[in-house]
Amino acid sequence: EVQLVESGGGLVQPGGSLRLSCAASGSTFTSYAMSWVRQAPGKGLEWVSAISGSGGSTYYADSVKGRFTISRDNSKNTLYLQMNSLRAEDTAVYYCAKDTDLSAFDIWGQGTMVTVSS
Amino acid sequence: SYELTQPLSVSVALGQTARITCGGNNIGSKNVHWYQQKPGQAPVLVIYGDSNRPSGIPERFSGSNSGNAATLTISRAQAGDEADYYCQVWDSSTSRVFGGGTKLTVL
């Protein structure tokens, strides 16, 4: 079964940048889309971005469009989220999740915390 | 943009049936997925495609979807079912979207 492990979280100042990674174990990484989902402290889940299996199609929530970039390196079985122009409201646990054909998230990583504060 | 509405909280007596609703415009035409999240843990998919259970999810969990509301039903509720529950759909205008979440309390 696929396992996902995020890394790259931390403390960053407003306006700064951070790149998250999500390493996937198991085979057939290229055969499924992937997403990033975040959860601000004490709040609900918010879908952030998705990318197709080939990497040719990407999708973003309005709240991050133009600031975040999703990408993947299928040779390394790794998903990325480049986050620029970070704001306090981007503070959250960021999860990577595997998409299914019905756009459900059947496998999740353990999450990585991003804190945007001066 | 497409929005999903869930009650903030639902309470159920131990051993009874809990029902958590998820409202959305013509949600019956969409595939609804449900997640369970316990404190400090990642979400877990418990229902996908309205009413399908992933392997390992007890039969006590079931789902339905019609009209403007989808429902997650938990039969014979146990203390271990206490968690936050989120519905989620895919919409052409919003891509993936989550409901606000419902806190289930087992009394």
Side-chain angles (χ1 to χ4, degrees), chain A residues 3-88:
Chain A
Q3 290 188 322
L4 304 173
V5 178
E6 302 96 336
S7 60
L11 175 64
V12 61
Q13 292 187 340
S17 298
L18 209 57
R19 188 177 84 155
L20 306 183
S21 299
C22 170
S25 64
S27 60
T28 67
F29 180 66
T30 59
S31 65
Y32 45 85
M34 294 288 295
S35 281
W36 288 98
V37 177
R38 69 184 180 183
Q39 186 170 35
K43 302 298 184 181
L45 301 173
E46 179 188 15
W47 171 78
V48 172
S49 182
I51 187 168
S52 62
S54 67
S57 297
T58 57
Y59 312 87
Y60 299 94
D62 288 344
S63 59
V64 306
K65 200 172 295 183
R67 300 188 299 123
F68 290 10
T69 302
I70 191 171
S71 62
R72 63 193 296 163
D73 185 338
N74 287 339
S75 69
K76 297 181 178 179
N77 281 12
T78 302
L79 173 73
Y80 302 101
L81 185 68
Q82 177 66 44
M83 304 186 294
N84 298 331
S85 303
L86 283 162
R87 306 166 179 167

Side-chain angles (χ1 to χ4, degrees), chain A residues 102-118:
Chain A
L102 294 180
S103 295
F105 305 118
D106 61 343
I107 298 173
W108 297 66
Q110 85 287 352
T112 187
M113 183 70 202
V114 172
T115 302
V116 184
S117 174
S118 55

Side-chain angles (χ1 to χ4, degrees), chain A residues 33 35 37 39 43-47 50 59 95 99 102-106 108-110, chain B residues 31 33 35 37 41-45 48-49 86 88 90 94-100:
Chain A
S35 281
V37 177
Q39 186 170 35
K43 302 298 184 181
L45 301 173
E46 179 188 15
W47 171 78
Y59 312 87
Y95 297 99
D99 273 57
L102 294 180
S103 295
F105 305 118
D106 61 343
W108 297 66
Q110 85 287 352
Chain B
N31 287 297
H33 319 301
Y35 303 86
Q37 186 181 34
Q41 297 183 18
V44 173
L45 180 67
Y48 68 93
Y86 296 88
Q88 179 249 320
W90 181 89
T94 317
S95 190
R96 290 96 170 140
V97 60
F98 287 95

